[in-house]
Amino acid sequence: MVHLIWPIPALPLAGTLILVFFGRRLGARAHWVAVPSVGLAFVVALAAFLRVWRDGETFTGPLLDWIIAGDFRAPVTVQLDQLSAVMLLVVTGVGFLIHVYSIGYMHGDPGYPRFFAYLTLFVFSMVMLVLAGNFLLLYVFWEAVGLCSYLLIGFWYTRPAAADAGKKAFIVNRVGDFGFALGVMLLWVSLGTLEYDEVFAQAWALPTGTATAIALLLFAGACGKSAQLPLHTWLPDAMEGPTPVSALIHAATMVTAGVYMVARAHVLFERSGVALEVVAWVGILTALFAASIGLVQNDIKRILAYSTISQLGYMFAGVGVGAYAAGIYHLVTHAFFKALLFLAAGSIIHALGGEQDIRRMGGLARRLPVTTLTFLVAAVAIAGIPPFAGFFSKDEILAAAWASGHLGVYALGLLGAAFTAFYIFRLVFLAFFGPSRLDAEAARHLHESPPVMTIPLGFLAVLSAIGGVWGLPGEHGTPIARFLDPVLPHGEAALGPGTGPLLMAVAVATALGGILAAWRMYLRRPVPAERLGVPSNRLHVLLLGKYYVDELYDALFVRPLVAVSEWCARVFDLGVIDGLVNGAADLVGRWSSVLRRVQTGLVMNYALSMLVGAVILLGLLVRWR
């Protein structure tokens, strides 16, 4: 099995190194290195997945030695099992399609080779995060994906908004990562090991309080990486990066790392108990919070950004109520339809010459048939309409919340599902249907994207449509739950007779209600264009202001820190640090000015000085005798 594992990270890493050292020479041909490296990694990952699926074969062991210092040895330990096999397919498969799409989207960009170097490095880092067999390696590549996100979000660093967004993502993630690092340290202090197998075997021996502290510290890192309350603010601003970056970060890599980590470390969270409840409630509150903001956004990428935050909340709610397989399954289906939504949005932006405001769109269906059809498939999937993939995964989470007695989680999840259906079809109706609101320049520029961009859309549309087959309920659970059973136990409580179909009917009715409301407001009797985005009441103002969380953080943290920093620069740095350095220099200068007077340049004075010195020395010698 090991011969199938090492090429999966090695191929993207090789592509990255080639692009770093020879990218300028390759220029516009950089994709001939990046795309095959990720594509071949997907082929090998598929072969490894088939071995796990068909034969149940898994592997845990070292690939190579990382650190050797005396008796201390830290190998690069990898673990390929059912969970990591699924994640590898998502990361490399969706990552490959995004690489292909980027050929058309980034064509002509001056930083073309640099873009692909960052993109392949991102895939490598996420692959190693998924393959990590211990918490130390997990933490290293946890930080690596954060670095890659900083590089990609701020890719167009000459634009102040992009540079600021990259810094914001990096700083906010450092807050969560600090807690994650403390959790890893506490794990080492408590158990003396960071290897997954050993940690999970000893987890039940931990005191409940210690397990809770470790789990919540790890979850703090997950809140940062996966943009959950209260560390969600970086993700909407990450839209300043190129659209393929948004698709990769939101669909297949960084933001899913937190969900994967909680599922992988579920034994620690179960030992705590309280931590699982925190995960469930933070997840569902984030889902509703972000979905409500998405109701009124007008930037097409920001709508999808808040949608990502919301859908990640559903994943955390799923693992929080013990439905680990359902949470991971929603991660998989979300990768399909969210990558499709972002890439289709990029196709629209490309067609309109950079326009992102849905208030300046309308009637695009007639001119962008492929983009319209694929976007509509993704919209139906995320809204939760059967038989599309998003319905089965979201329904599994809601059903698990109901069955486990988390009725509050279920009710909020149902409300969030209505919001989801409304905001995504508000986007569909305003962008693709109704009268055109394009300005003259955008109308002249309007055209369907080239095949290198639309073919990946087609593949993702097929996956979004048929991906539900893994979530079809059966006598012994869904197929994906049975596949993941050796790693993730069935935490879902059983539903009573007839309850399952009833809950499914309620979920579908809720989604249809959201779509119908959007149709009535924006298509049947459309809101006048001049009123779109104009606040009509206090709630509307609150939602447009995104609950003023950024303003609150600015008042509580940013401004005080800036004020303290300015005081330190003005008073402490200039008065104390510079004062000590300048004072030492001034003292030496003054002493030197005194000594300089002795150097008169007259030989007689020097002879006299020597005579005086000799007399003094002779006197001392006589006295000592």
Side-chain angles (χ1 to χ4, degrees), residues 347-355 360-361 364 438 442-443 445-446:
S347 181
I348 296 170
I349 296 166
H350 182 268
L352 298 180
E355 181 60 68
R360 300 192 184 97
M361 298 181 188
L364 298 180
L438 300 176
H445 195 275
L446 185 61

Side-chain angles (χ1 to χ4, degrees), residues 189-538:
V189 170
S190 302
L191 298 179
T193 181
L194 295 177
E195 299 296 323
Y196 286 161
D197 292 343
E198 297 175 13
V199 166
F200 301 149
Q202 301 177 45
W204 291 100
L206 285 171
T208 304
T210 303
T212 299
I214 293 171
L216 291 180
L217 287 169
L218 294 177
F219 182 58
C223 286
K225 278 290 179 288
S226 298
Q228 299 295 283
L229 290 172
L231 301 178
H232 67 286
T233 54
W234 67 270
L235 194 59
D237 289 350
M239 298 301 98
E240 293 296 335
T243 299
V245 172
S246 303
L248 190 62
I249 290 177
H250 287 241
T253 55
M254 179 172 165
V255 297
T256 61
V259 181
Y260 166 77
M261 185 276 295
V262 174
R264 173 65 75 188
H266 67 274
V267 176
L268 291 170
F269 286 83
E270 288 175 351
R271 178 68 185 103
S272 166
V274 173
L276 270 183
E277 289 293 318
V278 171
V279 171
W281 280 102
V282 168
I284 204 62
L285 290 174
T286 302
L288 188 62
F289 173 87
S292 66
I293 297 176
L295 296 173
V296 299
Q297 294 298 303
N298 298 307
D299 184 298
I300 188 170
K301 289 178 67 176
R302 284 186 177 268
I303 295 171
L304 300 181
Y306 281 106
S307 168
T308 297
I309 299 172
S310 180
Q311 296 304 306
L312 288 164
Y314 279 104
M315 297 175 208
F316 279 111
V319 296
V321 300
Y324 305 114
I328 294 299
Y329 182 44
H330 196 54
L331 184 156
V332 174
T333 61
H334 177 263
F336 299 152
F337 60 70
K338 186 51 61 67
L340 178 54
L341 286 169
F342 268 111
L343 296 187
S347 181
I348 296 170
I349 296 166
H350 182 268
L352 298 180
E355 181 60 68
Q356 296 184 197
D357 195 329
I358 60 174
R359 294 173 295 184
R360 300 192 184 97
M361 298 181 188
L364 298 180
R366 295 185 295 274
R367 300 287 299 276
L368 306 176
V370 176
T371 300
T372 301
L373 178 61
T374 53
F375 195 101
L376 193 58
V377 169
V380 174
I382 193 175
I385 303 298
F388 292 83
F391 164 75
F392 292 97
S393 55
K394 191 183 294 184
D395 183 70
E396 278 289 308
I397 292 172
L398 293 176
W402 176 277
S404 61
H406 291 83
L407 301 185
V409 172
Y410 172 80
L412 294 178
L414 204 60
L415 181 58
F419 287 175
T420 301
F422 179 88
Y423 68 63
I424 200 64
F425 273 88
R426 171 180 177 266
L427 191 163
V428 168
F429 295 143
L430 286 176
F432 295 103
F433 301 101
S436 174
R437 297 179 299 279
L438 300 176
D439 58 34
E441 179 61 29
R444 282 196 301 270
H445 195 275
L446 185 61
H447 63 283
E448 184 62 274
S449 297
V452 74
M453 294 172 65
T454 55
I455 289 174
L457 298 184
F459 276 105
L460 289 167
V462 171
L463 292 171
S464 299
I466 68 171
V469 295
W470 251 23
L472 292 173
E475 185 178 351
H476 301 291
T478 61
I480 191 170
R482 295 196 298 271
F483 177 73
L484 293 173
D485 188 58
V487 184
L488 302 176
H490 285 290
E492 303 97 322
L495 291 169
T499 306
L502 178 61
L503 293 178
M504 292 175 68
V506 171
V508 173
T510 300
L512 291 175
I515 296 172
L516 179 63
W519 174 74
R520 288 176 61 87
M521 288 184 65
Y522 297 102
L523 202 59
R524 185 185 179 191
R525 296 177 181 174
V527 177
E530 62 273 10
R531 288 181 53 195
L532 289 173
V534 178
S536 55
N537 52 55
R538 290 184 179 180

Side-chain angles (χ1 to χ4, degrees), residues 114-137:
R114 178 168 57 90
F115 176 81
F116 277 105
Y118 292 166
L119 216 59
T120 51
L121 179 62
F122 207 154
V123 172
F124 162 72
S125 300
M126 190 64 191
V127 164
M128 286 305 300
L129 185 151
V130 168
L131 281 174
N134 56 57
F135 283 95
L136 178 61
L137 198 63

